[in-house]
């Protein structure tokens, strides 16, 4: 029962402070879940990847995933309830004044201040994930000892980046997240076998 | 997703007006929580008050919930298969790309002035080098946003500070 309450509260907290949609949640999710030490960062990253590729709101996907890993279907229910409740409550409270809220000066000021902070957080998270996934660097102080190349991930990154950049510059097209993930998954499999 | 919402809510079922749609787009992206939940709660309310809100939200949640649980079960069977590990190594690259895309997407509608970049830099440094808690930083941002507006309204510093341009930047 204790587990369920922790799941609910953790995701309630996350849902409450997510400004800017799904991806803005990622720094908080990594922080809050690795705190408990029952999920490793590499596992979380896999969950994040799957949650980004399946249909539906990222927040719901990731909450369901982590909740299920911790405590089965009950866990996913509590986690999902937690992540959607702040939204639900806030929207219901402001639904009658939504027209005025969007022009409210305090609302606008808060958005102008919070968004750069969120973006800074995401940049920090990307840097951290890149260093640990590509170069196995987990702590800044120990770089020399930890450094090793993860060739599969590195090469996949190079290939998918060049592919997407060419698509953008030559055909002005963007790739949908699900395709990016599928292509990278195939790249991961093929490159791993090629490298062996 | 927004175009789907528009098609179903404004055109097909006429649950909300065009104005409502524009309002909810702005608000749903800025208020806490997933955009999908914010939108469904709002449109559900317009269509059927609190019950409508609940049903709409449940509607948007249930497919994801089911699919993810199925995938979870599947993964639990196959999690040690090397092919899964290899796939995830490639997927690391995808995550990096998607997050970089998110950085640009979130920055686009904002005014990229010195205020923006200083907050961004401070937030990055505090989080990356000093491991300051993300929620704490966001909470500080909310408070700062409120204080900033209070200062602007009271114009206290305006009288004392000879140079206007600092607050023009804000």
């Amino acid at each position: 029962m204790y587990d369920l309450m922790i799941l609910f509260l953790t995701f309630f907290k996350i849902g409450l402070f997510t400004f800017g949609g799904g991806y803005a949640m990622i720094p908080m999710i990594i922080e809050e879940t690795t705190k408990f030490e029952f999920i490793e960062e590499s596992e979380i990253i896999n969950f994040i990847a799957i949650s980004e590729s399946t249909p539906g709101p990222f927040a719901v996907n990731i909450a369901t995933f982590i909740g299920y890993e911790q405590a089965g279907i009950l866990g996913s229910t509590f986690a999902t309830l937690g992540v959607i409740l702040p939204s639900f409550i806030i929207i219901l409270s402001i639904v009658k004044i939504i027209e005025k809220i969007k022009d409210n000066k305090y609302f606008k000021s808060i958005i102008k201040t919070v968004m750069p902070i969120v973006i800074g957080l995401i940049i920090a998270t990307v840097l951290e994930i890149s260093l640990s996934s590509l170069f196995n660097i987990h702590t800044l102080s120990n770089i020399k000892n930890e450094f090793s190349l993860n060739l599969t991930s590195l090469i996949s990154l190079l290939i998918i980046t060049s592919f997407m950049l060419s698509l953008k510059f030559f055909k002005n097209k963007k790739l949908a997240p699900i395709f990016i993930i599928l292509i990278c998954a195939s790249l991961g499999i093929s490159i791993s076998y090629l490298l062996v | 997703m927004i175009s789907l919402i528009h098609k179903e809510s404004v055109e097909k079922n006429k649950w909300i007006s065009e104005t409502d749609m524009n309002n909810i787009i702005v608000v749903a992206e800025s208020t806490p929580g997933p955009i999908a939940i914010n939108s469904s709660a709002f449109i559900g309310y317009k269509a059927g008050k609190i019950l409508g809100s609940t049903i709409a939200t449940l509607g948007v949640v249930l497919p994801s919930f089911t699919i993810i649980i199925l995938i979870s079960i599947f993964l639990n069977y196959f999690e040690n298969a090397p092919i899964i590990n290899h796939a995830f190594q490639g997927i690391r690259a995808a995550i990096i790309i998607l997050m970089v895309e998110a950085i640009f997407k979130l920055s686009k509608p904002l005014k990229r002035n010195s205020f923006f970049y200083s907050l961004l830099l401070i937030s990055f440094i505090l989080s990356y080098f000093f491991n300051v808690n993300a929620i704490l930083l966001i909470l500080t941002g909310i408070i700062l946003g409120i204080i900033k507006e209070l200062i602007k309204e009271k114009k206290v510093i305006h009288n004392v500070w000879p140079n206007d341009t600092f607050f023009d930047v804000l």
Side-chain angles (χ1 to χ4, degrees):
Chain A
M1 197 56 211
Y2 182 62
D3 266 359
L4 296 174
M5 279 323 285
I6 294 198
L7 274 172
F8 177 81
L9 287 172
T10 308
F11 278 94
F12 188 88
K13 241 192 335 183
I14 292 177
L16 188 56
F17 288 100
T18 296
F19 287 84
Y23 294 78
M25 206 176 264
I26 294 181
M28 285 186 280
I29 288 189
I30 295 186
E31 236 176 64
E32 295 293 314
T33 51
T34 49
K35 228 169 32 179
F36 295 116
E37 288 170 27
F38 41 58
I39 301 191
E40 283 178 30
E41 192 187 278
S42 51
E43 246 190 303
I44 286 287
I45 295 182
N46 293 343
F47 290 172
I48 292 176
I50 298 179
S51 305
E52 288 183 8
S53 38
T54 43
F58 172 79
V60 172
N61 291 341
I62 191 77
T64 308
F65 227 132
I66 295 177
Y68 186 81
E69 282 292 305
Q70 288 318 300
I73 293 200
L74 263 183
S76 40
T77 312
F78 272 72
T80 306
L81 269 176
V83 89
I84 66 180
L85 229 45
S87 268
F88 196 69
I89 297 176
I90 292 179
I91 291 290
L92 283 184
S93 340
I94 67 174
V95 72
K96 306 235 160 152
I97 49 173
I98 246 181
E99 178 84 45
K100 295 191 211 145
I101 288 264
K102 95 174 192 319
D103 296 320
N104 178 282
K105 293 204 180 131
Y106 286 93
F107 178 72
K108 284 192 187 166
S109 179
I110 291 176
I111 298 303
K112 262 171 84 174
T113 330
V114 169
M115 290 314 291
I117 292 179
V118 168
I119 296 173
L121 285 170
I122 298 180
I123 296 178
T125 307
V126 172
L127 189 55
E128 202 227 326
I129 293 181
S130 308
L131 284 181
S132 69
S133 307
L134 304 172
F135 305 108
N136 283 315
I137 297 174
H138 297 282
T139 45
L140 284 179
S141 46
N142 217 7
I143 296 187
K144 260 199 195 154
N145 295 337
E146 290 182 320
F147 182 88
S148 77
L149 289 177
N150 188 330
L151 276 179
T152 310
S153 306
L154 257 174
I155 298 179
S156 307
L157 183 61
L158 284 171
I159 296 181
I160 189 70
T161 311
S162 2
F163 181 59
M164 287 180 70
L165 284 176
S166 348
L167 259 186
K168 186 144 193 247
F169 284 137
F170 297 125
K171 291 202 158 180
N172 204 18
K173 277 195 176 174
K174 249 172 79 167
L175 214 51
I178 174 75
F179 292 123
I180 298 178
I181 293 183
L182 284 175
I183 293 177
C184 285
S186 334
L187 281 174
I189 297 174
S190 357
I191 296 176
S192 287
Y193 280 114
L194 284 175
L195 285 179
V196 153
Chain B
M1 177 183 66
I2 303 232
S3 46
L4 265 177
I5 295 181
H6 185 273
K7 210 166 108 185
E8 291 289 321
S9 316
V10 180
E11 297 170 29
K12 207 163 122 189
N13 292 294
K14 301 206 198 312
W15 288 317
I16 54 171
S17 65
E18 197 72 51
T19 329
D20 277 337
M21 184 74 209
N22 292 328
N23 289 341
I24 193 61
I25 291 181
V26 174
V27 173
E29 289 185 0
S30 318
T31 45
I35 299 178
I37 307 297
N38 289 338
S39 322
S40 57
F42 176 76
I43 296 172
Y45 185 85
K46 288 272 169 170
K49 301 283 172 181
I50 294 195
L51 187 60
S53 205
T54 315
I55 293 185
T57 307
L58 271 176
V60 97
V61 164
L62 278 173
S64 297
F65 190 78
T66 322
I67 294 178
I68 291 287
I69 292 195
L70 290 173
I71 293 183
S72 245
I73 297 177
F74 173 83
L75 273 184
N76 280 336
Y77 272 127
F78 292 103
E79 78 184 331
N80 291 317
I83 197 171
I84 302 267
N85 283 326
H86 295 323
F88 275 125
Q89 283 190 300
I91 287 179
R92 292 280 185 282
I95 290 277
I96 296 174
I97 298 251
L98 289 173
M99 290 183 74
V100 170
E101 271 192 347
I103 293 172
F104 286 109
K105 179 176 154 240
L106 287 174
S107 312
K108 219 167 114 181
L110 301 169
K111 229 194 295 184
R112 258 80 53 79
N113 53 22
S114 40
F115 181 69
F116 174 86
Y117 284 116
S118 16
L119 275 182
L120 193 153
L121 202 56
I122 294 174
S123 159
F124 168 77
I125 291 176
L126 285 178
S127 170
Y128 191 74
F129 294 108
F130 297 98
N131 289 317
V132 177
N133 183 280
I135 290 185
L136 187 60
L137 286 171
I138 294 176
L139 195 53
T140 312
I142 297 176
I143 298 177
L144 261 172
I146 298 178
I147 295 180
K148 195 186 90 178
E149 189 58 34
L150 278 173
I151 295 181
K152 245 180 163 178
E153 306 248 308
K154 299 222 161 153
K155 299 185 196 221
V156 169
I157 299 188
H158 187 93
N159 294 325
V160 178
W161 197 274
N163 188 356
D164 278 348
T165 56
F166 178 70
F167 279 95
D168 286 343
V169 165
L170 291 183

